[in-house]
Amino acid sequence: MDAQGHGQADDFDPADQWVFDPNTGSYELRLNPAGDSADITPEERPAPRSRSRRRAEPEPPTATPSRGRRRAAGKPEKPTGPTSRRKPKPKKSKAKKVLYWTSGTLAFILVGGSVAAYLVYQHLNNNIKKVDVGENNAAVSDGPMNILVIGTDKRDGKGNEGYGDAGSVGHADTTLLFHVSKDRTNATALSIPRDMITDIPDCVTRKDGTKKTIPGEEGVRFNTSLGQEERDPSCTWATVEKITGLQINHFLMADFNAVKTLSSAVGGVEVCLGKDIDDPKSHLKLSKGRHTIEGEQALAFVRTRHSVGFESDLDRIKLQQQFLSSMMRKMKSSGTLTSPTKMWDLANSATKALTVDTGIGTVNKLKDLALNLSKVDLKNVTFATVPVVDNTDGATVLLDKAKAEPLFAMVRQDVSLTEVKKKEKADKAKEAARLKGPKADPANVRVKVLNGSGKMGAAQETVDWMQNTEGMLRTSNGGNASANLKKTTLEYAPNQADQARRLADSMGLPGSALKEGTKDAAPMAEMTLTLGADFKGAGTPITAPAKAPKDIQRVEADDKSVCAK
């Protein structure tokens, strides 16, 4: 079965098995041959008798009433004679039709209640390619989720011979880290520039039951985290975790064919250009304005860079973000959701195009993940590019730590770049109130520091910083905490509130970290500061900023006004 054949295998097209029933407003599954009277479609049923006829012929007593003349369950038919007519059923709303069709499709593909459904399920399952990255994460988590999306420039696959470097094993050419908030109200997609110089850690690959450790490298392009030195997606996974400090749940990897087949499956993706483009290297030739593109033209669009901006990879990232935002809008549109053919093409193309980790290596698990992530409203999805600065060689870039770390901190602490949640704002207001009020002089701050961060020497590092930089001389090292904590906490008595506010201000503690007791403490008593896993280093604020750093490149997924220039 190929991506262009609409699922036809052995003369069986899954999309053709669905028949729309105008009486119920939903699609029904027809699995038997058309000639089988048990599965006559609404189109094949005899037309109902015309209302213009003055008198209806009575039906034989043994005839089964047609669908149009059946009574609702529990309501006996009134003896009004052969000319009686029941009121027509009210038509179902468009939203209900979508709901009926979607639930029917899931049952069709995933339940496997018939031979045809089983064949479809097996076909889609067999499409999926898997890589063992040494993680066994559940398909769906109750907390925040981080999905690594990798686009490789490997030339394998039909129609890809003209792309990429000849003989290349593939690089991490396009990489996004898709973070979805715990409550599924918002998401942030971080684009990582392929030419960013970084360190690649040691990583372990697993193939045919054999483990192999691939040595890391320092000061190399990010895109070499995949393919080079026999590195697989587990190495890109480890590299992204080291750069961002985020724990990844799953990865999805796609090649050139993914853009071509998925864009065609949804019936094309609308893009906008602020000027004419004629790029001989990507073969993109489009005039200024809006266009609906698919297939080879869609691939050319996401690959072009020599005719936009400063002709850099950073400008190409903007095109990719525009394209992905538009594709997401198209996938969620009713025109896609209500079309059996488009849904089949999309499922078939997606499973063929993807390589995933073993945690989501089946259709069922991919379905669970997709349904969970689809709860996010597109207006609350933000694409942002990891901040970088030019390197001295003019061909590569370096991580801009001053802007990148606050951005990573926001994502780590589940802070939305779109600021969509009223409850979140109310909670922040309460936290801010705890930090308001007089602050003690640094010399009067008394605190014992415990290390619950899991980082060796963190308590002493903090004490040294407090004493030498902040002037808090009455601080002490309390050693290791009884257990490691996720969040840093500061416990204090009511009469130590001014000391707590001073310490919170110096360390960048959020209001939620302050734990006030009920009884006053003795005059010389110490507060207790327990460092958690959110501790990044002495002098580095623990709380994330309320807003994203200025001047970072970003775009909202529902913004249709974006045009490449």
Side-chain angles (χ1 to χ4, degrees):
M1 185 183 302
D2 60 56
Q4 305 300 323
H6 300 298
Q8 294 181 8
D10 298 326
D11 297 324
F12 165 68
D13 185 342
D16 289 342
Q17 306 306 302
W18 290 97
V19 177
F20 183 76
D21 187 340
N23 295 294
T24 65
S26 64
Y27 284 87
E28 293 183 347
L29 182 62
R30 182 188 67 194
L31 296 175
N32 294 339
D36 191 330
S37 61
D39 275 296
I40 297 177
T41 69
E43 290 81 1
E44 293 165 341
R45 292 190 182 106
R49 301 179 188 275
S50 171
R51 291 181 179 270
S52 63
R53 298 177 65 177
R54 297 179 60 181
R55 183 172 299 177
E57 301 257 345
E59 294 177 350
T62 57
T64 302
S66 66
R67 180 183 293 270
R69 300 190 59 192
R70 291 174 185 163
R71 290 289 175 181
K75 294 184 180 179
E77 185 172 0
K78 294 180 181 180
T80 57
T83 59
S84 67
R85 292 288 188 273
R86 62 170 296 187
K87 292 182 179 180
K89 278 188 177 182
K91 293 184 179 180
K92 285 184 169 56
S93 68
K94 185 175 182 180
K96 286 186 177 180
K97 290 179 182 179
V98 172
L99 180 63
Y100 269 76
W101 186 87
T102 304
S103 60
T105 301
L106 291 177
F108 170 56
I109 294 177
L110 301 172
V111 173
S114 67
V115 173
Y118 176 76
L119 291 175
V120 170
Y121 175 85
Q122 286 298 101
H123 170 79
L124 294 178
N125 239 15
N126 292 337
N127 280 349
I128 302 171
K129 298 176 285 295
K130 299 179 284 290
V131 172
D132 183 1
V133 295
E135 299 281 351
N136 191 28
N137 297 330
V140 175
S141 165
D142 291 334
M145 294 197 71
N146 297 302
I147 314 298
L148 181 63
V149 181
I150 307 171
T152 175
D153 58 0
K154 194 172 183 179
R155 296 173 64 223
D156 287 359
K158 184 179 180 181
N160 293 333
E161 299 84 0
Y163 302 109
D165 301 327
S168 172
V169 295
H171 307 78
D173 194 54
T174 301
T175 305
L176 298 98
L177 184 60
F178 194 71
H179 170 85
V180 184
S181 67
K182 180 178 180 178
D183 60 7
R184 304 302 188 258
T185 63
N186 63 90
T188 301
L190 296 176
S191 294
I192 303 176
R194 67 173 191 178
D195 294 326
M196 185 176 74
I197 298 300
T198 189
D199 296 338
I200 300 174
D202 293 350
C203 58
V204 179
T205 61
R206 296 162 178 81
K207 190 174 183 180
D208 300 327
T210 302
K211 294 182 180 180
K212 182 177 180 180
T213 300
I214 310 296
E217 288 186 88
E218 295 181 356
V220 295
R221 276 181 166 89
F222 170 80
N223 68 348
T224 61
S225 63
L226 177 70
Q228 311 308 298
E229 307 299 331
E230 299 183 48
R231 295 187 180 107
D232 69 9
S234 65
C235 301
T236 306
W237 181 308
T239 304
V240 173
E241 286 191 338
K242 182 174 181 179
I243 292 171
T244 63
L246 288 155
Q247 298 298 307
I248 296 172
N249 299 85
H250 300 291
F251 88 87
L252 306 169
M253 184 171 69
D255 61 12
F256 291 136
N257 274 326
V259 175
K260 294 188 287 187
T261 58
L262 291 177
S263 61
S264 295
V266 298
V269 176
E270 184 182 85
V271 296
C272 181
L273 298 176
K275 64 177 183 179
D276 295 345
I277 289 183
D278 187 359
D279 187 345
K281 293 192 175 181
S282 70
H283 306 297
L284 178 68
K285 188 173 183 178
L286 286 175
S287 60
K288 176 182 176 180
R290 296 188 176 275
H291 302 270
T292 298
I293 59 176
E294 63 177 280
E296 295 287 348
Q297 196 174 42
L299 179 59
F301 182 85
V302 299
R303 293 186 69 243
T304 197
R305 64 188 174 101
H306 293 289
S307 297
V308 292
F310 296 101
E311 301 188 5
S312 71
D313 185 55
L314 298 178
D315 291 301
R316 182 170 65 170
I317 286 175
K318 296 177 184 178
L319 294 176
Q320 293 168 350
Q321 291 174 347
Q322 181 194 155
F323 180 85
L324 289 172
S325 296
S326 183
M327 178 177 278
M328 290 169 67
R329 293 195 298 268
K330 190 65 174 287
M331 285 181 175
K332 280 201 167 188
S333 69
S334 60
T336 300
L337 293 175
T338 56
S339 169
T341 300
K342 284 185 179 179
M343 287 294 285
W344 165 253
D345 284 351
L346 190 57
N348 193 39
S349 298
T351 50
K352 275 188 174 183
L354 293 177
T355 299
V356 302
D357 62 277
T358 51
I360 49 174
T362 67
V363 171
N364 267 330
K365 291 179 179 179
L366 274 176
K367 179 265 300 182
D368 290 342
L369 177 63
L371 290 178
N372 188 264
L373 301 187
S374 67
K375 297 175 183 178
V376 182
D377 193 316
L378 286 181
K379 69 181 181 181
N380 301 327
V381 177
T382 303
F383 285 87
T385 302
V386 170
V388 292
V389 293
D390 288 338
N391 198 2
T392 54
D393 62 8
T396 59
V397 292
L398 302 173
L399 183 69
D400 186 345
K401 293 183 179 180
K403 292 182 179 179
E405 183 49 43
L407 178 60
F408 294 155
M410 290 183 70
V411 179
R412 285 195 296 265
Q413 296 184 33
D414 223 13
V415 178
S416 170
L417 267 65
T418 54
E419 300 178 1
V420 295
K421 296 179 288 183
K422 292 182 179 179
K423 180 179 181 299
E424 181 181 273
K425 291 182 179 180
D427 290 344
K428 285 183 178 179
K430 291 180 181 179
E431 290 183 11
R434 298 180 195 174
L435 303 175
K436 289 183 179 180
K439 298 178 179 66
D441 186 271
N444 295 328
V445 173
R446 299 175 183 274
V447 65
K448 176 175 61 178
V449 183
L450 302 178
N451 186 8
S453 69
K455 302 175 179 67
M456 186 176 296
Q460 189 58 49
E461 176 190 346
T462 302
V463 170
D464 291 342
W465 172 77
M466 288 178 172
Q467 294 179 349
N468 300 328
T469 305
E470 299 297 296
M472 299 177 184
L473 302 178
R474 293 183 170 92
T475 54
S476 64
N477 183 349
N480 291 328
S482 58
N484 287 342
L485 302 178
K486 289 184 177 180
K487 304 287 185 180
T488 296
T489 60
L490 176 61
E491 299 173 77
Y492 62 99
N495 61 338
Q496 296 173 320
D498 59 340
Q499 297 181 50
R501 286 191 286 267
R502 170 60 65 188
L503 184 57
D505 184 61
S506 295
M507 292 192 64
L509 292 176
S512 59
L514 275 59
K515 309 296 181 184
E516 186 178 57
T518 56
K519 296 180 179 179
D520 283 350
M524 305 298 287
E526 293 178 306
M527 301 181 293
T528 301
L529 174 69
T530 306
L531 303 176
D534 55 355
F535 173 78
K536 300 303 174 186
T540 301
I542 288 178
T543 186
K547 294 183 178 180
K550 292 182 179 180
D551 303 324
I552 65 168
Q553 192 279 314
R554 57 190 285 186
V555 63
E556 311 299 334
D558 70 333
D559 188 353
K560 300 178 182 179
S561 65
V562 177
C563 289
K565 297 180 180 179

